[in-house]
Amino acid sequence: MAIRPDALPTDPAVLTEMVLALDAENEKLRVAMQTLREMIFGKRSEKLAVLVDEQLALELDDLQTDATRPAPANDDAPAAKSPDRPRKRARRNIGALPKHLPRCEQVLEPEATACPCCQGQLHKIGEDVSEVLDVIPAMLQVLRTVRPKYACRSCTDGVVQAKVLPRLIESGMASTALVSHVVVSKFAWYLPLYRQVQILAGQGIQLDRATLAGWIKRAAWWLKSLYELQLQMIQAAPRVFCDETPMPVLDPGRHRTRICQFWAHAMDDRPWGGPSPPAVAYVFANGRGTEEIARQLMGFSGILQVDGYAAYKALARDHGGAIQLAFCLAHARRKFVEVYKTTQSPFAREVIERLQAVYAIEAEIRGSSAEQRLAARRTRSAPLMEALRARLTAMASQLFSQSKLTEAINYALNHWDGLTLFLRDGRVEVDSNTVERSMRPIAMGRRNSLFSGSEGGAESWAILASLVNTAKLHELDPQAY
């Protein structure tokens, strides 16, 4: 509603307050408009070099032709390495193909082996060998099992016959290999069931999508015990990564979907050579409240690496110090990235560049022992973080309390103890990207499948995705696993 001149107050103090409120509202609207523009036209990368290039492309009114490319931020460029450390070779198949692949030889003989001059027989003096990577397209076949019966002609007893081989689906028409193929295609390579039905139809096999869904449900039933054992192993570790993501589930009664949750529990000690192997387990739940995560982590004590979600903080308070939260530095940095995208704030860019130096140190010490990482962090990273805290504290008192930059600063300062836990424990990571990466397969499958057909289907999704993605973390072929 427009402000009429006769409705304006005459008190200068009230007018000043009104102007400040309108200015704050305008800033929020500008940020919302710029954020929407970024969502539609911009890139999602949080690298500072990409951000600056993107801002130059989006400045439709004032094009800056003399802008210089800034130094890369965070993980834009590899960390500076010592001269005595050899450069890691690129992983390329140049010169030879993998030795574990079977070789299928074809020998190309000349049309004639007689000498064109004297017609004598030619003899072999050498050969040229070349290898190319070939593929055999997926081929369906019928596995026909025959079990002969044998009996004695001299007596009435003693009929002998081999036992039936165990199968995943008894009395079904699908072999264990076919069911595994359907499971891996959906949960490892994000191929929805309706597309798999179309692929099978192209080979003359007419199946209903519900049939494949039944196979998946049966496979999940068989593997549920293994999944529960893997989840227990992760939750028994002293350091656990945790995150959650929405999962739409079809609600037939209302002819729409309702938003449920997938919680991810992960562990990975490879960055410091620890004993825990990489693993992830997903848990389907109807909500994302404190009571849900408390039920999942009942009896857990140790370090929980998470983002700043309030449910984790309430969980730590309720456990009386048994759970220590290590917050994600990437989440804190992301808030300054959002501010820089929308406002081009020099201070936001300064914070990003300061965090770049911390991440560069982490890249150098990755793979070292926990003691070595802690020593390097105390001597090199701790002064950088302390200087950053001083800058954040000083700037917070100079900004308007409702600005986005103030929100980013307050988030970092309010979570400072958890954000700097890596300075006091060499086993702790600086961020929760370990579990963030494990959420990508769920997001890819959700984008392709749109929703889960039922709660039972979502539970099967959690079970099978846990086992398949853990196999991928170990660089195993999920189909063979």
Side-chain angles (χ1 to χ4, degrees), residues 242-248 259-264 282-288 307 309 312 435-436 438-444 446 461:
C242 195
D243 196 12
E244 78 287 338
T245 188
M247 172 55 64
I259 303 301
C260 298
Q261 295 292 320
F262 262 12
W263 296 78
Y282 306 102
V283 179
F284 171 73
N286 286 312
R288 64 190 295 257
D307 54 24
Y309 180 42
Y312 301 122
V435 71
E436 292 278 344
S438 298
M439 279 301 191
R440 291 177 183 174
I442 300 298
M444 293 289 293
R446 181 181 57 203
W461 190 331

PDB file of all heavy atoms in Angstrom, residues 242-248 259-264 282-288 307 309 312 435-436 438-444 446 461:
ATOM      1  N   CYS A 242      26.330 -36.862  10.046  1.00  0.00           N
ATOM      2  CA  CYS A 242      24.883 -37.003   9.968  1.00  0.00           C
ATOM      3  C   CYS A 242      24.292 -35.842   9.166  1.00  0.00           C
ATOM      4  O   CYS A 242      24.761 -34.703   9.269  1.00  0.00           O
ATOM      5  CB  CYS A 242      24.267 -37.052  11.361  1.00  0.00           C
ATOM      6  SG  CYS A 242      22.557 -37.641  11.385  1.00  0.00           S
ATOM      7  N   ASP A 243      23.270 -36.163   8.379  1.00  0.00           N
ATOM      8  CA  ASP A 243      22.583 -35.148   7.586  1.00  0.00           C
ATOM      9  C   ASP A 243      21.203 -35.692   7.226  1.00  0.00           C
ATOM     10  O   ASP A 243      20.929 -36.885   7.399  1.00  0.00           O
ATOM     11  CB  ASP A 243      23.379 -34.820   6.319  1.00  0.00           C
ATOM     12  CG  ASP A 243      22.923 -33.521   5.675  1.00  0.00           C
ATOM     13  OD1 ASP A 243      22.166 -32.769   6.323  1.00  0.00           O
ATOM     14  OD2 ASP A 243      23.317 -33.256   4.525  1.00  0.00           O
ATOM     15  N   GLU A 244      20.337 -34.826   6.739  1.00  0.00           N
ATOM     16  CA  GLU A 244      18.996 -35.251   6.355  1.00  0.00           C
ATOM     17  C   GLU A 244      18.583 -34.528   5.076  1.00  0.00           C
ATOM     18  O   GLU A 244      19.094 -33.446   4.759  1.00  0.00           O
ATOM     19  CB  GLU A 244      17.982 -34.986   7.477  1.00  0.00           C
ATOM     20  CG  GLU A 244      17.511 -33.557   7.608  1.00  0.00           C
ATOM     21  CD  GLU A 244      18.553 -32.627   8.188  1.00  0.00           C
ATOM     22  OE1 GLU A 244      19.481 -33.112   8.863  1.00  0.00           O
ATOM     23  OE2 GLU A 244      18.439 -31.403   7.959  1.00  0.00           O
ATOM     24  N   THR A 245      17.659 -35.149   4.332  1.00  0.00           N
ATOM     25  CA  THR A 245      17.167 -34.568   3.095  1.00  0.00           C
ATOM     26  C   THR A 245      15.722 -34.989   2.901  1.00  0.00           C
ATOM     27  O   THR A 245      15.327 -36.087   3.326  1.00  0.00           O
ATOM     28  CB  THR A 245      18.022 -35.035   1.895  1.00  0.00           C
ATOM     29  OG1 THR A 245      17.646 -34.307   0.720  1.00  0.00           O
ATOM     30  CG2 THR A 245      17.847 -36.504   1.625  1.00  0.00           C
ATOM     31  N   PRO A 246      14.891 -34.153   2.291  1.00  0.00           N
ATOM     32  CA  PRO A 246      13.478 -34.510   2.099  1.00  0.00           C
ATOM     33  C   PRO A 246      13.305 -35.685   1.137  1.00  0.00           C
ATOM     34  O   PRO A 246      14.081 -35.866   0.200  1.00  0.00           O
ATOM     35  CB  PRO A 246      12.859 -33.230   1.526  1.00  0.00           C
ATOM     36  CG  PRO A 246      13.817 -32.132   1.880  1.00  0.00           C
ATOM     37  CD  PRO A 246      15.170 -32.760   1.885  1.00  0.00           C
ATOM     38  N   MET A 247      12.271 -36.457   1.381  1.00  0.00           N
ATOM     39  CA  MET A 247      11.902 -37.562   0.494  1.00  0.00           C
ATOM     40  C   MET A 247      10.387 -37.574   0.334  1.00  0.00           C
ATOM     41  O   MET A 247       9.657 -37.957   1.253  1.00  0.00           O
ATOM     42  CB  MET A 247      12.382 -38.897   1.074  1.00  0.00           C
ATOM     43  CG  MET A 247      11.883 -40.114   0.310  1.00  0.00           C
ATOM     44  SD  MET A 247      12.274 -40.073  -1.473  1.00  0.00           S
ATOM     45  CE  MET A 247      14.061 -40.115  -1.434  1.00  0.00           C
ATOM     46  N   PRO A 248       9.864 -37.122  -0.809  1.00  0.00           N
ATOM     47  CA  PRO A 248       8.413 -37.163  -1.029  1.00  0.00           C
ATOM     48  C   PRO A 248       7.912 -38.605  -1.120  1.00  0.00           C
ATOM     49  O   PRO A 248       8.515 -39.441  -1.790  1.00  0.00           O
ATOM     50  CB  PRO A 248       8.234 -36.427  -2.364  1.00  0.00           C
ATOM     51  CG  PRO A 248       9.525 -35.686  -2.588  1.00  0.00           C
ATOM     52  CD  PRO A 248      10.584 -36.498  -1.923  1.00  0.00           C
ATOM     53  N   ILE A 259       5.859 -34.908   2.528  1.00  0.00           N
ATOM     54  CA  ILE A 259       7.305 -34.813   2.661  1.00  0.00           C
ATOM     55  C   ILE A 259       7.764 -35.594   3.885  1.00  0.00           C
ATOM     56  O   ILE A 259       7.427 -35.240   5.016  1.00  0.00           O
ATOM     57  CB  ILE A 259       7.758 -33.350   2.746  1.00  0.00           C
ATOM     58  CG1 ILE A 259       7.279 -32.589   1.508  1.00  0.00           C
ATOM     59  CG2 ILE A 259       9.265 -33.269   2.865  1.00  0.00           C
ATOM     60  CD1 ILE A 259       7.791 -33.149   0.207  1.00  0.00           C
ATOM     61  N   CYS A 260       8.513 -36.641   3.646  1.00  0.00           N
ATOM     62  CA  CYS A 260       9.183 -37.391   4.703  1.00  0.00           C
ATOM     63  C   CYS A 260      10.681 -37.096   4.630  1.00  0.00           C
ATOM     64  O   CYS A 260      11.081 -36.160   3.950  1.00  0.00           O
ATOM     65  CB  CYS A 260       8.885 -38.882   4.566  1.00  0.00           C
ATOM     66  SG  CYS A 260       7.118 -39.291   4.727  1.00  0.00           S
ATOM     67  N   GLN A 261      11.481 -37.888   5.312  1.00  0.00           N
ATOM     68  CA  GLN A 261      12.905 -37.579   5.393  1.00  0.00           C
ATOM     69  C   GLN A 261      13.750 -38.830   5.210  1.00  0.00           C
ATOM     70  O   GLN A 261      13.350 -39.936   5.588  1.00  0.00           O
ATOM     71  CB  GLN A 261      13.243 -36.941   6.759  1.00  0.00           C
ATOM     72  CG  GLN A 261      12.602 -35.602   7.005  1.00  0.00           C
ATOM     73  CD  GLN A 261      13.150 -34.516   6.114  1.00  0.00           C
ATOM     74  OE1 GLN A 261      14.355 -34.456   5.868  1.00  0.00           O
ATOM     75  NE2 GLN A 261      12.279 -33.636   5.647  1.00  0.00           N
ATOM     76  N   PHE A 262      14.909 -38.630   4.617  1.00  0.00           N
ATOM     77  CA  PHE A 262      15.990 -39.609   4.628  1.00  0.00           C
ATOM     78  C   PHE A 262      17.114 -39.034   5.492  1.00  0.00           C
ATOM     79  O   PHE A 262      17.625 -37.944   5.209  1.00  0.00           O
ATOM     80  CB  PHE A 262      16.509 -39.868   3.216  1.00  0.00           C
ATOM     81  CG  PHE A 262      15.934 -41.085   2.570  1.00  0.00           C
ATOM     82  CD1 PHE A 262      14.856 -41.747   3.115  1.00  0.00           C
ATOM     83  CD2 PHE A 262      16.482 -41.587   1.402  1.00  0.00           C
ATOM     84  CE1 PHE A 262      14.318 -42.871   2.525  1.00  0.00           C
ATOM     85  CE2 PHE A 262      15.952 -42.712   0.788  1.00  0.00           C
ATOM     86  CZ  PHE A 262      14.869 -43.356   1.361  1.00  0.00           C
ATOM     87  N   TRP A 263      17.464 -39.739   6.546  1.00  0.00           N
ATOM     88  CA  TRP A 263      18.614 -39.377   7.371  1.00  0.00           C
ATOM     89  C   TRP A 263      19.798 -40.225   6.914  1.00  0.00           C
ATOM     90  O   TRP A 263      19.653 -41.412   6.634  1.00  0.00           O
ATOM     91  CB  TRP A 263      18.334 -39.620   8.846  1.00  0.00           C
ATOM     92  CG  TRP A 263      17.243 -38.774   9.413  1.00  0.00           C
ATOM     93  CD1 TRP A 263      15.900 -38.952   9.270  1.00  0.00           C
ATOM     94  CD2 TRP A 263      17.396 -37.610  10.230  1.00  0.00           C
ATOM     95  NE1 TRP A 263      15.205 -37.972   9.945  1.00  0.00           N
ATOM     96  CE2 TRP A 263      16.102 -37.133  10.548  1.00  0.00           C
ATOM     97  CE3 TRP A 263      18.499 -36.918  10.729  1.00  0.00           C
ATOM     98  CZ2 TRP A 263      15.876 -36.010  11.328  1.00  0.00           C
ATOM     99  CZ3 TRP A 263      18.282 -35.803  11.514  1.00  0.00           C
ATOM    100  CH2 TRP A 263      17.001 -35.349  11.806  1.00  0.00           C
ATOM    101  N   ALA A 264      20.956 -39.617   6.855  1.00  0.00           N
ATOM    102  CA  ALA A 264      22.171 -40.326   6.445  1.00  0.00           C
ATOM    103  C   ALA A 264      23.152 -40.340   7.609  1.00  0.00           C
ATOM    104  O   ALA A 264      23.421 -39.295   8.219  1.00  0.00           O
ATOM    105  CB  ALA A 264      22.808 -39.662   5.233  1.00  0.00           C
ATOM    106  N   TYR A 282      21.342 -45.079   5.249  1.00  0.00           N
ATOM    107  CA  TYR A 282      20.209 -44.154   5.207  1.00  0.00           C
ATOM    108  C   TYR A 282      19.068 -44.720   6.051  1.00  0.00           C
ATOM    109  O   TYR A 282      18.841 -45.929   6.087  1.00  0.00           O
ATOM    110  CB  TYR A 282      19.736 -43.942   3.771  1.00  0.00           C
ATOM    111  CG  TYR A 282      20.832 -43.502   2.831  1.00  0.00           C
ATOM    112  CD1 TYR A 282      21.419 -44.412   1.948  1.00  0.00           C
ATOM    113  CD2 TYR A 282      21.292 -42.191   2.821  1.00  0.00           C
ATOM    114  CE1 TYR A 282      22.430 -44.020   1.089  1.00  0.00           C
ATOM    115  CE2 TYR A 282      22.303 -41.798   1.968  1.00  0.00           C
ATOM    116  CZ  TYR A 282      22.870 -42.718   1.101  1.00  0.00           C
ATOM    117  OH  TYR A 282      23.878 -42.330   0.249  1.00  0.00           O
ATOM    118  N   VAL A 283      18.372 -43.819   6.715  1.00  0.00           N
ATOM    119  CA  VAL A 283      17.247 -44.195   7.569  1.00  0.00           C
ATOM    120  C   VAL A 283      16.029 -43.399   7.114  1.00  0.00           C
ATOM    121  O   VAL A 283      16.080 -42.156   7.072  1.00  0.00           O
ATOM    122  CB  VAL A 283      17.544 -43.926   9.051  1.00  0.00           C
ATOM    123  CG1 VAL A 283      16.337 -44.314   9.911  1.00  0.00           C
ATOM    124  CG2 VAL A 283      18.778 -44.701   9.500  1.00  0.00           C
ATOM    125  N   PHE A 284      14.960 -44.101   6.770  1.00  0.00           N
ATOM    126  CA  PHE A 284      13.729 -43.415   6.387  1.00  0.00           C
ATOM    127  C   PHE A 284      12.938 -43.060   7.634  1.00  0.00           C
ATOM    128  O   PHE A 284      12.821 -43.858   8.567  1.00  0.00           O
ATOM    129  CB  PHE A 284      12.878 -44.305   5.471  1.00  0.00           C
ATOM    130  CG  PHE A 284      11.504 -43.759   5.216  1.00  0.00           C
ATOM    131  CD1 PHE A 284      11.317 -42.666   4.382  1.00  0.00           C
ATOM    132  CD2 PHE A 284      10.394 -44.324   5.834  1.00  0.00           C
ATOM    133  CE1 PHE A 284      10.049 -42.151   4.157  1.00  0.00           C
ATOM    134  CE2 PHE A 284       9.125 -43.837   5.607  1.00  0.00           C
ATOM    135  CZ  PHE A 284       8.956 -42.735   4.772  1.00  0.00           C
ATOM    136  N   ALA A 285      12.390 -41.841   7.664  1.00  0.00           N
ATOM    137  CA  ALA A 285      11.597 -41.375   8.804  1.00  0.00           C
ATOM    138  C   ALA A 285      10.523 -40.432   8.295  1.00  0.00           C
ATOM    139  O   ALA A 285      10.647 -39.825   7.227  1.00  0.00           O
ATOM    140  CB  ALA A 285      12.478 -40.661   9.830  1.00  0.00           C
ATOM    141  N   ASN A 286       9.467 -40.315   9.091  1.00  0.00           N
ATOM    142  CA  ASN A 286       8.359 -39.432   8.723  1.00  0.00           C
ATOM    143  C   ASN A 286       8.663 -37.967   9.012  1.00  0.00           C
ATOM    144  O   ASN A 286       7.991 -37.090   8.457  1.00  0.00           O
ATOM    145  CB  ASN A 286       7.087 -39.857   9.461  1.00  0.00           C
ATOM    146  CG  ASN A 286       6.495 -41.131   8.891  1.00  0.00           C
ATOM    147  OD1 ASN A 286       6.348 -41.262   7.685  1.00  0.00           O
ATOM    148  ND2 ASN A 286       6.170 -42.074   9.757  1.00  0.00           N
ATOM    149  N   GLY A 287       9.612 -37.680   9.880  1.00  0.00           N
ATOM    150  CA  GLY A 287       9.889 -36.297  10.246  1.00  0.00           C
ATOM    151  C   GLY A 287      11.368 -36.051  10.441  1.00  0.00           C
ATOM    152  O   GLY A 287      12.196 -36.962  10.300  1.00  0.00           O
ATOM    153  N   ARG A 288      11.711 -34.809  10.773  1.00  0.00           N
ATOM    154  CA  ARG A 288      13.101 -34.426  10.987  1.00  0.00           C
ATOM    155  C   ARG A 288      13.280 -33.707  12.320  1.00  0.00           C
ATOM    156  O   ARG A 288      14.158 -32.864  12.472  1.00  0.00           O
ATOM    157  CB  ARG A 288      13.586 -33.540   9.842  1.00  0.00           C
ATOM    158  CG  ARG A 288      12.884 -32.192   9.713  1.00  0.00           C
ATOM    159  CD  ARG A 288      13.251 -31.499   8.416  1.00  0.00           C
ATOM    160  NE  ARG A 288      14.640 -31.130   8.347  1.00  0.00           N
ATOM    161  CZ  ARG A 288      15.104 -29.897   8.535  1.00  0.00           C
ATOM    162  NH1 ARG A 288      14.264 -28.910   8.828  1.00  0.00           N
ATOM    163  NH2 ARG A 288      16.384 -29.640   8.436  1.00  0.00           N
ATOM    164  N   ASP A 307      25.564 -30.077  10.285  1.00  0.00           N
ATOM    165  CA  ASP A 307      25.368 -28.664  10.007  1.00  0.00           C
ATOM    166  C   ASP A 307      24.734 -28.007  11.234  1.00  0.00           C
ATOM    167  O   ASP A 307      24.670 -28.608  12.306  1.00  0.00           O
ATOM    168  CB  ASP A 307      24.513 -28.471   8.746  1.00  0.00           C
ATOM    169  CG  ASP A 307      23.187 -29.230   8.828  1.00  0.00           C
ATOM    170  OD1 ASP A 307      22.738 -29.506   9.955  1.00  0.00           O
ATOM    171  OD2 ASP A 307      22.609 -29.525   7.777  1.00  0.00           O
ATOM    172  N   TYR A 309      21.680 -27.402  12.095  1.00  0.00           N
ATOM    173  CA  TYR A 309      20.264 -27.663  12.316  1.00  0.00           C
ATOM    174  C   TYR A 309      19.980 -27.776  13.818  1.00  0.00           C
ATOM    175  O   TYR A 309      20.735 -28.390  14.576  1.00  0.00           O
ATOM    176  CB  TYR A 309      19.862 -28.934  11.588  1.00  0.00           C
ATOM    177  CG  TYR A 309      18.416 -29.324  11.729  1.00  0.00           C
ATOM    178  CD1 TYR A 309      17.402 -28.373  11.665  1.00  0.00           C
ATOM    179  CD2 TYR A 309      18.055 -30.648  11.915  1.00  0.00           C
ATOM    180  CE1 TYR A 309      16.079 -28.732  11.785  1.00  0.00           C
ATOM    181  CE2 TYR A 309      16.726 -31.018  12.034  1.00  0.00           C
ATOM    182  CZ  TYR A 309      15.741 -30.051  11.974  1.00  0.00           C
ATOM    183  OH  TYR A 309      14.430 -30.402  12.112  1.00  0.00           O
ATOM    184  N   TYR A 312      20.059 -31.160  16.065  1.00  0.00           N
ATOM    185  CA  TYR A 312      21.327 -31.693  16.552  1.00  0.00           C
ATOM    186  C   TYR A 312      21.753 -30.988  17.843  1.00  0.00           C
ATOM    187  O   TYR A 312      22.293 -31.625  18.754  1.00  0.00           O
ATOM    188  CB  TYR A 312      22.407 -31.531  15.485  1.00  0.00           C
ATOM    189  CG  TYR A 312      22.089 -32.209  14.185  1.00  0.00           C
ATOM    190  CD1 TYR A 312      22.037 -31.487  12.993  1.00  0.00           C
ATOM    191  CD2 TYR A 312      21.838 -33.574  14.123  1.00  0.00           C
ATOM    192  CE1 TYR A 312      21.743 -32.101  11.789  1.00  0.00           C
ATOM    193  CE2 TYR A 312      21.543 -34.196  12.927  1.00  0.00           C
ATOM    194  CZ  TYR A 312      21.499 -33.455  11.767  1.00  0.00           C
ATOM    195  OH  TYR A 312      21.206 -34.066  10.569  1.00  0.00           O
ATOM    196  N   VAL A 435      29.363 -36.662   4.425  1.00  0.00           N
ATOM    197  CA  VAL A 435      27.966 -37.090   4.340  1.00  0.00           C
ATOM    198  C   VAL A 435      27.223 -36.306   3.264  1.00  0.00           C
ATOM    199  O   VAL A 435      26.262 -36.814   2.675  1.00  0.00           O
ATOM    200  CB  VAL A 435      27.288 -36.961   5.719  1.00  0.00           C
ATOM    201  CG1 VAL A 435      27.070 -35.500   6.090  1.00  0.00           C
ATOM    202  CG2 VAL A 435      25.968 -37.707   5.742  1.00  0.00           C
ATOM    203  N   GLU A 436      27.658 -35.082   2.979  1.00  0.00           N
ATOM    204  CA  GLU A 436      27.023 -34.317   1.897  1.00  0.00           C
ATOM    205  C   GLU A 436      27.187 -35.040   0.564  1.00  0.00           C
ATOM    206  O   GLU A 436      26.255 -35.100  -0.244  1.00  0.00           O
ATOM    207  CB  GLU A 436      27.640 -32.918   1.817  1.00  0.00           C
ATOM    208  CG  GLU A 436      27.335 -32.020   3.002  1.00  0.00           C
ATOM    209  CD  GLU A 436      25.977 -31.367   2.895  1.00  0.00           C
ATOM    210  OE1 GLU A 436      25.411 -31.373   1.797  1.00  0.00           O
ATOM    211  OE2 GLU A 436      25.498 -30.862   3.917  1.00  0.00           O
ATOM    212  N   SER A 438      27.502 -38.198   0.211  1.00  0.00           N
ATOM    213  CA  SER A 438      26.667 -39.394   0.255  1.00  0.00           C
ATOM    214  C   SER A 438      25.199 -39.086   0.026  1.00  0.00           C
ATOM    215  O   SER A 438      24.408 -40.002  -0.254  1.00  0.00           O
ATOM    216  CB  SER A 438      26.838 -40.103   1.605  1.00  0.00           C
ATOM    217  OG  SER A 438      28.170 -40.533   1.787  1.00  0.00           O
ATOM    218  N   MET A 439      24.808 -37.821   0.157  1.00  0.00           N
ATOM    219  CA  MET A 439      23.430 -37.430  -0.116  1.00  0.00           C
ATOM    220  C   MET A 439      23.167 -37.229  -1.604  1.00  0.00           C
ATOM    221  O   MET A 439      22.019 -37.220  -2.042  1.00  0.00           O
ATOM    222  CB  MET A 439      23.089 -36.148   0.632  1.00  0.00           C
ATOM    223  CG  MET A 439      22.719 -36.357   2.087  1.00  0.00           C
ATOM    224  SD  MET A 439      21.297 -37.448   2.255  1.00  0.00           S
ATOM    225  CE  MET A 439      20.902 -37.229   3.982  1.00  0.00           C
ATOM    226  N   ARG A 440      24.198 -37.078  -2.394  1.00  0.00           N
ATOM    227  CA  ARG A 440      24.005 -36.840  -3.825  1.00  0.00           C
ATOM    228  C   ARG A 440      23.295 -37.997  -4.520  1.00  0.00           C
ATOM    229  O   ARG A 440      22.410 -37.768  -5.365  1.00  0.00           O
ATOM    230  CB  ARG A 440      25.353 -36.561  -4.492  1.00  0.00           C
ATOM    231  CG  ARG A 440      25.965 -35.220  -4.083  1.00  0.00           C
ATOM    232  CD  ARG A 440      27.325 -35.031  -4.708  1.00  0.00           C
ATOM    233  NE  ARG A 440      27.944 -33.788  -4.270  1.00  0.00           N
ATOM    234  CZ  ARG A 440      29.199 -33.426  -4.570  1.00  0.00           C
ATOM    235  NH1 ARG A 440      29.938 -34.228  -5.316  1.00  0.00           N
ATOM    236  NH2 ARG A 440      29.687 -32.295  -4.130  1.00  0.00           N
ATOM    237  N   PRO A 441      23.649 -39.275  -4.233  1.00  0.00           N
ATOM    238  CA  PRO A 441      22.900 -40.361  -4.880  1.00  0.00           C
ATOM    239  C   PRO A 441      21.411 -40.336  -4.553  1.00  0.00           C
ATOM    240  O   PRO A 441      20.585 -40.654  -5.417  1.00  0.00           O
ATOM    241  CB  PRO A 441      23.572 -41.623  -4.326  1.00  0.00           C
ATOM    242  CG  PRO A 441      24.946 -41.192  -3.943  1.00  0.00           C
ATOM    243  CD  PRO A 441      24.804 -39.787  -3.458  1.00  0.00           C
ATOM    244  N   ILE A 442      21.061 -39.949  -3.319  1.00  0.00           N
ATOM    245  CA  ILE A 442      19.651 -39.856  -2.964  1.00  0.00           C
ATOM    246  C   ILE A 442      18.990 -38.732  -3.752  1.00  0.00           C
ATOM    247  O   ILE A 442      17.878 -38.887  -4.274  1.00  0.00           O
ATOM    248  CB  ILE A 442      19.488 -39.622  -1.456  1.00  0.00           C
ATOM    249  CG1 ILE A 442      20.113 -40.780  -0.664  1.00  0.00           C
ATOM    250  CG2 ILE A 442      18.024 -39.455  -1.082  1.00  0.00           C
ATOM    251  CD1 ILE A 442      19.469 -42.113  -0.920  1.00  0.00           C
ATOM    252  N   ALA A 443      19.666 -37.594  -3.869  1.00  0.00           N
ATOM    253  CA  ALA A 443      19.102 -36.467  -4.612  1.00  0.00           C
ATOM    254  C   ALA A 443      18.950 -36.805  -6.093  1.00  0.00           C
ATOM    255  O   ALA A 443      17.950 -36.433  -6.717  1.00  0.00           O
ATOM    256  CB  ALA A 443      19.988 -35.231  -4.428  1.00  0.00           C
ATOM    257  N   MET A 444      19.925 -37.517  -6.665  1.00  0.00           N
ATOM    258  CA  MET A 444      19.823 -37.896  -8.077  1.00  0.00           C
ATOM    259  C   MET A 444      18.672 -38.869  -8.300  1.00  0.00           C
ATOM    260  O   MET A 444      17.885 -38.727  -9.242  1.00  0.00           O
ATOM    261  CB  MET A 444      21.138 -38.531  -8.524  1.00  0.00           C
ATOM    262  CG  MET A 444      22.302 -37.574  -8.554  1.00  0.00           C
ATOM    263  SD  MET A 444      22.163 -36.364  -9.893  1.00  0.00           S
ATOM    264  CE  MET A 444      22.342 -37.427 -11.312  1.00  0.00           C
ATOM    265  N   ARG A 446      16.031 -39.195  -6.411  1.00  0.00           N
ATOM    266  CA  ARG A 446      14.781 -38.467  -6.151  1.00  0.00           C
ATOM    267  C   ARG A 446      14.402 -37.598  -7.347  1.00  0.00           C
ATOM    268  O   ARG A 446      13.227 -37.483  -7.697  1.00  0.00           O
ATOM    269  CB  ARG A 446      14.953 -37.614  -4.894  1.00  0.00           C
ATOM    270  CG  ARG A 446      13.724 -36.809  -4.485  1.00  0.00           C
ATOM    271  CD  ARG A 446      14.061 -35.995  -3.254  1.00  0.00           C
ATOM    272  NE  ARG A 446      15.201 -35.118  -3.494  1.00  0.00           N
ATOM    273  CZ  ARG A 446      15.981 -34.632  -2.530  1.00  0.00           C
ATOM    274  NH1 ARG A 446      15.753 -34.945  -1.268  1.00  0.00           N
ATOM    275  NH2 ARG A 446      16.990 -33.841  -2.826  1.00  0.00           N
ATOM    276  N   TRP A 461      14.176 -48.462  -0.363  1.00  0.00           N
ATOM    277  CA  TRP A 461      15.134 -47.517  -0.960  1.00  0.00           C
ATOM    278  C   TRP A 461      16.293 -47.284  -0.001  1.00  0.00           C
ATOM    279  O   TRP A 461      17.463 -47.332  -0.406  1.00  0.00           O
ATOM    280  CB  TRP A 461      14.397 -46.229  -1.270  1.00  0.00           C
ATOM    281  CG  TRP A 461      15.141 -45.228  -2.103  1.00  0.00           C
ATOM    282  CD1 TRP A 461      16.490 -45.057  -2.169  1.00  0.00           C
ATOM    283  CD2 TRP A 461      14.580 -44.254  -2.990  1.00  0.00           C
ATOM    284  NE1 TRP A 461      16.814 -44.041  -3.035  1.00  0.00           N
ATOM    285  CE2 TRP A 461      15.656 -43.534  -3.556  1.00  0.00           C
ATOM    286  CE3 TRP A 461      13.277 -43.930  -3.346  1.00  0.00           C
ATOM    287  CZ2 TRP A 461      15.455 -42.493  -4.451  1.00  0.00           C
ATOM    288  CZ3 TRP A 461      13.085 -42.894  -4.248  1.00  0.00           C
ATOM    289  CH2 TRP A 461      14.148 -42.182  -4.802  1.00  0.00           C
TER     290      TRP A 461
END
